[in-house]
Amino acid sequence: MSFIQLNGINLNVEIRGEGPPLIFIHGLGCDHTQWNQEAARLSSAFQTIVFDCRGHGKSDKPVYYSLHDHIQDVLALTDYFALHDIILYGSSMGSYIAQGTAIAQSQRIHKLILVAPKSNGLTSSTQWLFQEHAGELKTMDKQEKRMFFYRHMVYDPQLLVEHPDLLKSTLTPKQKLAANKALAGFDFRKGLPGITARTLVISGKYDGLNPPAEGQICASLIPDSTFVEMQYSGHLPMYEEPDLYRSVIDRFLFQTK
């Protein structure tokens, strides 16, 4: 990894492989390591670019930033490396950033992959879940709250019981608050019809954070899009149904029109 200064902050960036540029954008509270397996296997065919979004991982962590700042960082990254015909691949928060980037510079985005997305939101999906169930959560102890979250996160909570590292975050409570606030009040619905990139939208049937209906809205508004609902997944289909997930991704990436 190396640090690149863009928009006044240092972003932690790693590039591997050669070929068409493929930019991965991670989810809220995560970092570039979310993409370790995907980037490693796809770097044989693509120039894979992973990075820690501002406020995350080893990148700088401003006290305040917004979703617009995230989008501007990706645009600056594409300018820095003079990238064109780009594939953007974002999960959850990363899918919001990818949508905003594709709207801002549609002509530079060749393909778009949106995993567990939504097109708009007043708060982050995690914050929304906690607010919606605030009364119920008040009566729970720490372990009960954890299992409540797991049940809304994935199809089989045992996955997270056995692999809690999948949700591990290095952020402090203050940094998590800033990351959540950055996702407040966005709406891409008016801009999505202007996206010209071929788009794949993937949702998990049991996703309690961004339900399939949210992914269907994205797909319905993007002209050249395909919607896939994973039947035994929640918010983390790449870990819940890995073989099927990879086949869906590869079919989209390697097929031509």
Side-chain angles (χ1 to χ4, degrees):
M1 304 293 289
S2 60
F3 289 99
I4 299 173
Q5 188 171 73
L6 299 170
N7 297 328
I9 67 165
N10 293 302
L11 289 183
N12 190 33
V13 181
E14 180 181 89
I15 297 180
R16 288 187 284 183
E18 296 182 358
L22 171 54
I23 301 177
F24 295 85
I25 314 175
H26 64 73
L28 178 68
C30 302
D31 58 34
H32 74 277
T33 61
Q34 174 184 353
W35 298 113
N36 279 350
Q37 293 183 4
E38 277 291 272
R41 73 182 192 87
L42 291 171
S43 61
S44 62
F46 300 92
Q47 180 188 53
T48 60
I49 302 169
V50 298
F51 69 102
D52 295 332
C53 294
R54 67 167 59 208
H56 295 72
K58 294 182 180 178
S59 292
D60 286 350
K61 299 175 179 63
V63 174
Y64 171 81
Y65 54 96
S66 66
L67 181 55
H68 176 75
D69 292 324
H70 282 309
I71 294 165
Q72 292 304 308
D73 289 342
V74 177
L75 292 172
L77 191 65
T78 64
D79 287 340
Y80 184 90
F81 291 108
L83 302 177
H84 294 277
D85 295 326
I86 301 161
I87 302 167
L88 285 183
Y89 184 170
S91 176
S92 194
M93 178 187 81
S95 76
Y96 319 154
I97 300 170
Q99 288 174 69
T101 303
I103 290 169
Q105 291 199 359
S106 182
Q107 72 280 5
R108 295 176 71 176
I109 310 304
H110 175 55
K111 289 185 177 181
L112 183 63
I113 302 175
L114 307 175
V115 181
K118 64 180 180 181
S119 61
N120 65 97
L122 297 176
T123 66
S124 74
S125 297
T126 302
Q127 195 71 28
W128 169 84
L129 179 67
F130 290 153
Q131 289 175 357
E132 285 292 300
H133 297 273
E136 185 180 352
L137 288 166
K138 282 182 181 179
T139 66
M140 298 182 186
D141 61 28
K142 187 175 181 180
Q143 177 60 22
E144 289 172 332
K145 288 178 181 178
R146 181 181 295 111
M147 291 306 300
F148 170 88
F149 184 63
Y150 287 179
R151 287 194 298 272
H152 284 79
M153 189 79 172
V154 294
Y155 168 68
D156 183 0
Q158 192 62 27
L159 173 71
L160 297 177
V161 172
E162 296 175 0
H163 301 282
D165 54 297
L166 295 178
L167 297 180
K168 185 178 180 180
S169 176
T170 60
L171 302 186
T172 66
K174 188 174 182 179
Q175 290 166 349
K176 288 179 181 178
L177 181 62
N180 273 281
K181 284 184 175 180
L183 304 184
F186 72 93
D187 192 339
F188 294 129
R189 285 174 290 185
K190 289 183 178 180
L192 292 179
I195 293 177
T196 57
R198 289 185 58 207
T199 301
L200 172 65
V201 181
I202 300 177
S203 294
K205 182 176 182 178
Y206 296 92
D207 189 348
L209 296 179
N210 290 341
E214 298 291 348
Q216 288 172 338
I217 290 172
C218 294
S220 70
L221 293 173
I222 299 172
D224 189 3
S225 63
T226 299
F227 177 74
V228 174
E229 182 177 307
M230 305 285 285
Q231 296 301 301
Y232 299 98
S233 290
H235 201 66
L236 303 174
M238 68 181 69
Y239 301 113
E240 298 180 77
E241 296 181 81
D243 293 338
L244 177 59
Y245 179 85
R246 285 192 294 267
S247 70
V248 170
I249 293 294
D250 290 354
R251 186 162 56 249
F252 176 74
L253 286 177
F254 294 105
Q255 71 181 168
T256 58
K257 266 191 173 182

